[in-house]
Amino acid sequence: MTARCGCGCQAFGAIRGERPRPAPTVLTIGPSPAGTRRVATASLNTTASLGTTASLGTTTGLGTTAGAPGRSETAPRTPPAGGSGPALLTANPYPVATPRPVDTLAVWGDPGTLRRRPPYLIEQATDEDSLAAYRRLRRAVFVDEQGLFADRPAGDLDETDEDPRTVVLVAREIDGPRPGRVIGGVRLGPSAAWRGPDIGWWHGGRLVVDAAARARFSGVGGALVRAACAHAEAVGALRFDATVQPDRERFFGRLGWMTVGPTIVNGAPHVLMRWPIDRVAMLVATTKAPLGGLLHGLRPGGAGFVGDDGAPVPDTNLVAACDAILPAMVDRDPFWAGWCGVLVNLNDLAAMGARPLGVLDAVAGPTASRVSRALGGLRAASERFGVPILGGHTQLGVASSLAVTAVGRAEVPIRSGAGLPGHAVTLTADLTGRWRPGYAGRQWDSTSSRRTAELRGMLTLVGRHRPVAAKDVSMAGIVGTLGMLAESSGCAAELEVAAVPRPTGVAMGDWLTCFPGFAMVTADVDDRPMPASSAAVSARCGRLRPGSGVSLLWPDGLRTSALGGHVTGMGTA
């Protein structure tokens, strides 16, 4: 017996008594004689790794479909006479059907995943039919079943249902006799207790599950609550409350909610509960918390200036500041990285009341193109701010990196650690601009469209005002920066959320945790407001208190903890 491949494998298999495995027939696309066609496909005898036999009529993961469902076209086993050219298929008398959609979870998911997949889907209700079905469920439960609301046309409907900002999430049956049927829902949106613009205070309620579906579709209520929490955090909420019936307090507690206290809803006792949102704390933990241990014993800045953005140079009136840009940012957006390298250092000097003299840079990258674009951003920012590049270092053929040092002059630098309990907190920020493309919710670009005179005017605001304490808002965001100022001052701080100036349409959670371009947090006595500026907006929005950490003060008088303790661990200045 002669092996086709020439290595004897087929003959060896026959000697061992094994059934010879047919060699796969590879078909190519190309010109063919009249009455025949060439088809690109896998062998008809190849078994896929998922345990199913690939055949014509099956849509493969590569998106190639051959033949018609339920019928195979058999390729000739022997090459045409006169050579070993491509095998040819005779014309198929049956039309090729359009492939059906492939359920990728069914194809690639393990059996356990498929078994655990719930028979319902949770999504936002965007059409009137879904909203009407949800409201019918609410009436059936809260009016007819529980009697919490009077049996009248309005039922349990209220002004929150009319608020266009209110979001309704519904659970739909997907595996049952009535696919698509709404079996549960929950609503959430800005709290009705605050009549102003959305400040990140959201409220969830009207959680309902169809009575007939409670036994069959287990876990619907919990899934709706978790989906509501995720949605509230995604849209930038920093406080998410719910009023629940007393017998549901334990259920919400198991889902991670915290009990605030008793309350009354429509004359009936309820419990006010709150979903813990740790967005600020997580940001600080990843960007600033390790600094105390890393810098232990160094005391950067010297006595009185520990924790400041710049460092006074001993025996001079000079102030130096240094910042590095994330390598991923240099790779992703080299020009913007260069611009920010200048921006953040000039902000550091401005927070200490120093007049900038110049900057130096150290830039590196794998290619000349990337380094050139980073230098282009440095050059553009230098020209726009009117601050020269004094020198630096450039390196090619290595991983991307960028660090910038700025030097300024201040006869008496302003400290961040000079605040005292009782001092008023002011936020001064440039609210113009937009999110930097690719950094929505994280980096606000308010400077690239500004003129030189406007930029220089903002940089001199703190120096002209000379507050007791000042710090520029860094990657720790407004709340994290206020926490660092309070920490170096040996104080706690509270931030009045509704008084914080922010751009129109920007979620409060995003604004309080982003890098805002130009923003300063200052602490001073009550009767010394920040000087007016045509570019930046200033507002009193907080106060230093005894203790540690940062709390958020809400319009209803409640305080929620944003930072429970020290930010950096570097201690007081």
Side-chain angles (χ1 to χ4, degrees):
M1 184 174 183
T2 304
R4 294 182 184 176
C5 65
C7 70
C9 60
Q10 190 170 6
F12 180 74
I15 294 173
R16 294 180 57 190
E18 298 176 358
R19 184 177 180 180
R21 186 176 294 176
T25 304
V26 179
L27 308 180
T28 60
I29 295 177
S32 59
T36 62
R37 61 190 176 122
R38 296 180 180 175
V39 180
T41 181
S43 167
L44 302 181
N45 305 294
T46 303
T47 301
S49 60
L50 296 176
T52 58
T53 303
S55 63
L56 296 178
T58 301
T59 303
T60 67
L62 299 176
T64 304
T65 302
R71 180 177 177 85
S72 297
E73 296 178 315
T74 305
R77 295 294 180 185
T78 51
S84 58
L88 302 177
L89 295 179
T90 58
N92 182 11
Y94 296 91
V96 177
T98 303
R100 291 173 293 180
V102 175
D103 184 343
T104 54
L105 180 61
V107 173
W108 299 111
D110 61 279
T113 300
L114 296 176
R115 285 194 298 269
R116 291 190 298 269
R117 185 168 57 174
Y120 51 84
L121 170 71
I122 295 177
E123 62 183 6
Q124 183 173 343
T126 57
D127 60 279
E128 287 302 323
D129 289 343
S130 298
L131 292 174
Y134 166 63
R135 292 175 180 177
R136 285 194 298 270
L137 278 182
R138 283 169 42 180
R139 184 177 186 89
V141 173
F142 298 130
V143 177
D144 302 336
E145 179 184 338
Q146 299 180 358
L148 291 175
F149 298 90
D151 187 5
R152 56 188 181 184
D156 70 318
L157 299 178
D158 57 21
E159 66 275 8
T160 300
D161 294 299
E162 304 302 322
D163 190 335
R165 302 172 299 177
T166 297
V167 174
V168 172
L169 304 179
V170 295
R172 295 185 185 278
E173 178 181 349
I174 61 173
D175 185 14
R178 298 173 60 186
R181 177 173 67 103
V182 174
I183 59 173
V186 65
R187 76 178 187 189
L188 64 155
S191 175
W194 169 246
R195 299 296 182 179
D198 182 7
I199 58 172
W201 176 15
W202 277 47
H203 194 97
R206 299 297 196 271
L207 173 67
V208 63
V209 178
D210 179 66
R214 293 169 197 167
R216 178 179 179 185
F217 300 99
S218 63
V220 177
L224 283 165
V225 172
R226 288 190 291 269
C229 295
H231 187 94
E233 292 197 49
V235 297
L238 291 173
R239 175 181 171 183
F240 188 39
D241 297 338
T243 50
V244 306
Q245 298 178 47
D247 62 345
R248 306 304 290 166
E249 179 182 359
R250 186 176 180 183
F251 167 76
F252 275 78
R254 289 199 303 267
L255 293 175
W257 287 65
M258 302 183 302
T259 299
V260 179
T263 186
I264 300 295
V265 175
N266 201 39
H270 280 66
V271 178
L272 177 62
M273 305 196 74
R274 178 168 302 131
W275 173 250
I277 297 178
D278 57 358
R279 178 172 180 170
V280 174
M282 291 297 295
L283 174 65
V284 167
T286 56
T287 58
K288 300 298 180 181
L291 294 181
L294 292 172
L295 302 177
H296 178 69
L298 292 179
R299 303 290 291 178
F305 290 94
V306 175
D308 275 286
D309 299 297
V313 179
D315 302 323
T316 72
N317 61 0
L318 298 179
V319 177
C322 181
D323 268 298
I325 304 300
L326 291 173
M329 184 174 168
V330 183
D331 283 330
R332 182 178 182 179
D333 196 345
F335 182 91
W336 178 240
W339 181 281
C340 288
V342 174
L343 169 64
V344 296
N345 277 281
L346 297 185
N347 285 347
D348 288 344
L349 295 180
M352 302 188 74
R355 179 173 61 86
L357 300 176
V359 299
L360 299 96
D361 65 83
V363 59
T367 64
S369 173
R370 186 168 301 168
V371 170
S372 175
R373 284 180 284 169
L375 289 171
L378 288 162
R379 186 183 306 111
S382 168
E383 294 173 353
R384 188 73 59 85
F385 281 93
V387 178
I389 296 177
L390 304 176
H393 176 75
T394 305
Q395 190 170 359
L396 300 175
V398 296
S400 298
S401 65
L402 174 63
V404 178
T405 298
V407 180
R409 178 176 284 119
E411 296 300 330
V412 182
I414 299 169
R415 299 187 294 142
S416 70
L420 295 172
H423 280 161
V425 171
T426 297
L427 175 66
T428 302
D430 185 1
L431 307 184
T432 62
R434 59 171 185 162
W435 293 118
R436 177 70 180 179
Y439 297 93
R442 294 178 292 161
Q443 294 189 26
W444 183 258
D445 178 13
S446 63
T447 58
S448 64
S449 60
R450 287 290 191 187
R451 295 173 296 179
T452 299
E454 295 171 325
L455 296 173
R456 294 301 295 257
M458 287 188 289
L459 291 179
T460 62
L461 276 174
V462 174
R464 288 186 281 122
H465 173 51
R466 296 201 61 80
V468 172
K471 194 170 183 64
D472 83 291
V473 179
S474 66
M475 296 302 292
I478 293 170
V479 179
T481 298
L482 176 58
M484 288 190 285
L485 184 148
E487 177 184 4
S488 60
S489 298
C491 302
E494 69 177 18
L495 186 67
E496 187 178 346
V497 181
V500 173
R502 63 182 167 126
T504 303
V506 172
M508 185 63 76
D510 291 341
W511 182 242
L512 294 184
T513 56
C514 76
F515 172 68
F518 174 84
M520 296 283 167
V521 173
T522 59
D524 206 350
V525 295
D526 283 310
D527 58 353
R528 296 187 65 243
M530 182 71 73
S533 169
S534 60
V537 175
S538 295
R540 290 285 171 86
C541 55
R543 196 164 295 276
L544 297 183
R545 302 289 189 189
S548 63
V550 179
S551 60
L552 303 180
L553 177 62
W554 299 92
D556 60 348
L558 289 181
R559 289 176 173 84
T560 59
S561 176
L563 296 172
H566 297 304
V567 176
T568 66
M570 296 174 64
T572 61

